[in-house]
Structure formats: structure tokens, C-alpha cells
Amino acid sequence: MQNFLILGSGGREHTFAWKLAQSAHCGNLFIAPGNGGTAQHGTNLDITVSDFNALGKACIELNIDIILVGPELPLVLGIYDYFNSRDELNHITVIGPSKAAAELEASKSFTNAFLEEYNIPTAASLNITKENIIEGIAYIEANPGPYVLKADGLAAGKGVLIIKDKEEAKSSLQEMLEGQFGEASSKVVIEEFMDGIEFSVFVLTDGSAYKILPIAKDYKRIGESDTGLNTGGMGAVSPVSFVDEALRKKVMERVVTPTMHGIKDRGLVYSGFIFIGLILVKNEPYVIEYNVRMGDPETEVVIPRMKNDLGELCIKIKEGKLNDVEIDIDPRYCTAVFLVSGGYPEKYEKGKTIRHLDTLTDGIAFQAGTKSENGLLKTNGGRVMAMCAFGNSLDEAIAQSMKNAEQINFEGKYFRKDIGFDLS
Ligand code: AMP
Ligand code: GLY
């Protein structure tokens, strides 16, 4: 038995907690800070994911053996290195990459150099700072739009601008370099625009061996038919019907294998999840981004399809023996439809009472922005909960997710009714 600490507070972390609670290897389970859903499976700790001193103290006190990291922030801040470099903490396994390896998510220019070095297909790109802004302007002048401008660093998911108009692109480039996203946009990456359909591939590694997890697709825009503002994710499906065996093989050969080779070749210390955001252009896969964690809401459809014991997988990673296990995947479709607060991703209200959760009979509600208060479950964020369901077809799974989404009640509830619309 091992004692686990999950870091994070979203639907992804509720899913991890739900899965670990079913593990034959999970002793005590803690979540920091967690949410109303994680509290059903373990004990929430009131500690933020970036407070390493407090996390370290809690881990000693609670005899934690393994930390499973949800979001990128603690990884990018170096939680792996923090635990590993302290005598009193280095017996605890942090499942996640080192700070140096987390640059794969934290820096677009680092990632583009990595992709180029290992010959992994991606968009052509230019790195621009105030010093060479003239090159950026010249690129925009010489090429037709749309223009893809990315803040080099992390900008809370908001640092990518896709602009059609030439003049607007030039002034946006200037604004970004002048600090629109703070330090994160002191360097801007201009990328060739790729027109295609996106999907997400997940790899689990112990630093040497690696396994491919179920492939998924998420829906980021607030409005139906992928319109309106970007969100933290309005829904997800797995499997993805257009990713057939031939495409999967291509992704393995051209993307996954060279990525894993590159990580080793550069000596990057990496255990845990690698999330590869891909776009299919004329049936060829190109990398859009790496994330050094699982996706949200993809986790809510990927983890339920894995029949493996998540506790055992974590222990195999700790022991460097991931090769001992096979990933066992449920062939059925799993879908997630996110219920969000009215107004999200702009201004919205919290504290609305969530009703009828106890009436769900077929499906799982993975909670994100929720909080238990005096025995009532209240909304506590923009994305409230992911309604997940299985089906033998995409339509069947979606129909069940929709039914469950209708059944839950809170003031201002909104959800997209077209998740999976481009896949049938
Ligand atoms: P990122 O933060 O890199 O994931 O970018 C956010 C979103 O912008 C992606 O999910 C894509 O929808 C879009 N995007 C990023 N890079 C490109 C590109 N080179 N061409 C087209 N769309 C892109
Ligand atoms: N679903 C996209 C992400 O987790 O970044």
C-alpha cells in the first residue's frame, strides 16, 4: 500500500481521485487543494499547489509515498526538483517531469527548437523579441494571414492569438512585446497557420519505458460548432473516429518515438504524463504543443477508459518498471459534457446550489468548480462538472452525457449540446 497526494482542484483531479480510490494499492488518499468531488474519495488539504514548503511538511506528517501532479504550475515551478533535492523529502516519488523537462510546456521557443532538432513535424516558426521586431513585421508583410502569435511563456492559456488582418497582426505583435502578457510575451513566436482538425495523444512514462494511453479530442470554444471565446474545455470524447490504425502508426513513428528519443537524448528527467496536442493537415499529423501533464477535460474520458489500476501504474513508474504492464483499454466510447456557470468564460456568479446529482444512474459526474457547504454542493468556478458516460457508439455515449447534463440543476447552467459534432 502507498499513500497518495494528488495536486490540483479540477475535473482532472477528481478523475484521478475516483480512479485511485478503486486501486488495490492506494492506502490513504489526499488531494491539495481538491474540490467537492475529490472530497468523496479522500481528504482535501487546504494547501495551494505552488506552496512547496507547506506541501513538503504535509507529506512528512501524512506519510505520503507518491505525489501525482495534475496541473502544470507546480511542475514548471520545479516541484520535482524541490522534493528530489531535499534529504527529508527525496524518498517521496513525484510523478511529473523535472523543471528542465517542463520547459516543453513552459516555453514555446524551447519546444520549437526541440521539434526541429528531432525532426518532428510542426509549423514553421520565428522567434521575435523587441530587438528583431522588424523581422516579425517583415514576415507579416510578406505572408498572407491568418497569423499565429504566441507568447513564449505561460499566459494562463490565453497567450495564443490567431489574427486574420495584417495591420491588426502587426499591432498585436507590438503590444505583446510591450508586455500584454507580462514577461511571458517578452518573446513572441510567430507560427505558420495550420488548418486542420485537432486531437490529443497521451503518453505515460517512467523516464525510460513509455505507454500510449487512449487518444482523445477536446472542445475548447464556448459556443456550438466551435465558435466564441476559448475556455478551459467544454467537453471531450475518446476514442477519436478519424484516428485509424494507419494514422496512429504515423503518429507513433513521426511524433511519439522521436519525442521520447529527444527527451532521453537531452537528458531530461521525466516521469508521468506527456500530452501531445496534434493537428491533422491533409492527413499528416503536426505537433501544436506539448503539455507536461494530462489534459482537462481529456482526462475525464481517457482515465475511465483505462481498465488498469492507476495506483499500480504509479508504483511501476516509481520503480522504473512501467514495461511490466500493458495498458488495457475499454473499447467503448467515453464522452464528457461540461456544465458551466452562466456567463463563463467572462463574468459569472458562484455559490449556486447544485441539485439532483444523486439521481444519476448511468454515468459519472466529475466535479471541477464545486464546493461542499453546510451539506449542500455549490458552484465554485466557471467550469462546474463534466458529465461523463460510456456508449457502444459515439452517439450513444453523447446521448447519455446529454441526458445527465439535463438532469443536473443549478441557476445559470450552460452546456454545449454538440460535443463530438465533427466526428460522426
Ligand atoms: P496552444 O496554447 O499552443 O495550444 O494554442 C492554442 C490553440 O491555438 C490550439 O489549440 C490551436 O487551436 C490554435 N493553434 C496554435 N498554434 C496553431 C497553428 N500554428 N496553426 C493553427 N492553429 C494553432
Ligand atoms: N484540454 C487542453 C488542456 O488541458 O490544456
Side-chain angles (χ1 to χ4, degrees):
M1 285 287 183
Q2 302 273 293
N3 295 332
F4 283 85
L5 171 63
I6 297 170
L7 297 189
S9 60
R12 169 181 50 210
E13 289 74 20
H14 183 188
T15 312
F16 284 156
W18 168 83
K19 189 75 173 163
L20 272 179
Q22 298 166 43
S23 168
H25 303 273
C26 181
N28 296 329
L29 176 59
F30 297 90
I31 310 93
N35 61 34
T38 60
Q40 296 168 13
H41 306 293
T43 307
N44 287 348
L45 305 176
D46 190 14
I47 308 175
T48 58
V49 296
S50 53
D51 189 348
F52 297 168
N53 289 331
L55 289 171
K57 276 194 195 114
C59 283
I60 292 171
E61 218 165 274
L62 301 167
N63 261 320
I64 299 297
D65 300 295
I66 298 178
I67 303 178
L68 184 57
V69 184
E72 67 277 13
L73 181 66
L75 297 167
V76 169
L77 294 175
I79 191 166
Y80 174 89
D81 312 70
Y82 181 92
F83 274 73
N84 218 41
S85 62
R86 283 171 173 71
D87 289 342
E88 70 280 16
L89 295 175
N90 64 12
H91 63 285
I92 299 165
T93 301
V94 176
I95 298 194
S98 62
K99 187 174 166 103
E103 285 290 287
L104 284 171
E105 175 158 0
S107 166
K108 303 278 182 203
S109 55
F110 176 90
T111 299
N112 284 340
F114 179 93
L115 291 166
E116 193 178 325
E117 180 173 352
Y118 298 102
N119 218 354
I120 302 167
T122 190
S125 67
L126 267 181
N127 296 336
I128 305 295
T129 61
K130 275 189 181 158
E131 279 69 54
N132 68 345
I133 184 170
I134 199 143
E135 280 177 42
I137 301 287
Y139 173 89
I140 294 169
E141 285 287 356
N143 289 281
Y147 306 95
V148 181
L149 307 183
K150 298 186 172 183
D152 185 62
L154 286 180
K158 298 200 167 78
V160 177
L161 303 182
I162 297 181
I163 301 169
K164 289 211 176 91
D165 183 75
K166 224 181 248 297
E167 292 311 311
E168 197 187 327
K170 285 194 265 179
S171 53
S172 284
L173 175 62
Q174 198 133 15
E175 279 163 30
M176 286 175 88
L177 291 171
E178 277 162 11
Q180 185 182 0
F181 300 101
E183 190 48 37
S185 66
S186 60
K187 190 192 274 179
V188 172
V189 176
I190 304 183
E191 278 184 14
E192 165 201 6
F193 177 77
M194 297 186 286
D195 194 9
I197 187 162
E198 291 174 50
F199 61 108
S200 310
V201 169
F202 302 96
V203 182
L204 186 62
T205 181
D206 63 8
S208 170
Y210 59 91
K211 302 281 171 181
I212 308 300
L213 308 184
I215 291 171
K217 174 162 179 57
D218 75 338
Y219 293 81
K220 294 192 177 78
R221 303 296 193 96
I222 189 73
E224 281 164 18
S225 307
D226 289 342
T227 53
L229 293 174
N230 248 328
T231 72
M234 296 299 292
V237 308
S238 177
V240 180
S241 49
F242 63 82
V243 186
D244 57 14
E245 234 357 85
L247 177 55
R248 198 185 144 87
K249 199 161 162 257
K250 233 184 235 183
V251 169
M252 287 303 298
E253 282 170 7
R254 301 200 188 154
V255 179
V256 176
T257 307
T259 296
M260 300 315 292
H261 165 73
I263 287 173
K264 248 183 228 169
D265 187 54
R266 287 204 176 183
L268 297 172
V269 176
Y270 202 127
S271 75
F273 299 99
I274 306 168
F275 165 169
I276 311 177
L278 292 163
I279 188 163
L280 191 65
V281 183
K282 299 196 178 100
N283 216 35
E284 298 296 326
Y286 293 83
V287 173
I288 285 199
E289 63 171 347
Y290 290 113
N291 294 303
V292 295
R293 52 174 173 81
M294 275 301 286
D296 195 339
E298 289 97 327
T299 303
E300 290 92 311
V301 295
V302 167
I303 293 286
R305 289 191 64 220
M306 290 169 60
K307 294 186 187 169
N308 301 74
D309 179 321
L310 181 59
E312 186 195 5
L313 288 177
C314 292
I315 292 167
K316 291 294 178 192
I317 289 171
K318 175 177 175 169
E319 295 171 343
K321 291 184 179 162
L322 193 59
N323 252 343
D324 287 359
V325 289
E326 286 306 320
I327 301 297
D328 187 9
I329 301 176
D330 188 327
R332 290 177 300 166
Y333 279 81
C334 188
T335 56
V337 172
F338 240 104
L339 307 183
V340 305
S341 300
Y344 173 81
E346 297 183 283
K347 209 165 148 306
Y348 60 86
E349 289 176 13
K350 296 184 191 177
K352 308 293 183 193
T353 303
I354 302 168
R355 297 183 207 279
H356 308 314
L357 197 53
D358 54 345
T359 65
L360 294 185
T361 50
D362 184 0
I364 318 160
F366 289 122
Q367 300 179 31
T370 67
K371 193 173 170 181
S372 302
E373 222 176 71
N374 307 322
L376 289 175
L377 191 67
K378 304 269 186 169
T379 65
N380 192 41
R383 291 162 75 239
V384 175
M385 59 176 72
M387 309 311 293
C388 291
F390 277 103
N392 291 317
S393 64
L394 179 62
D395 287 352
E396 199 180 300
I398 285 288
Q400 188 60 41
S401 281
M402 290 294 156
K403 186 168 167 239
N404 294 348
E406 297 285 357
Q407 209 161 314
I408 303 293
N409 226 323
F410 59 85
E411 195 187 312
K413 176 186 80 173
Y414 167 78
F415 60 96
R416 270 181 63 172
K417 298 191 175 61
D418 70 337
I419 299 303
F421 75 99
D422 48 355
L423 296 179
S424 25

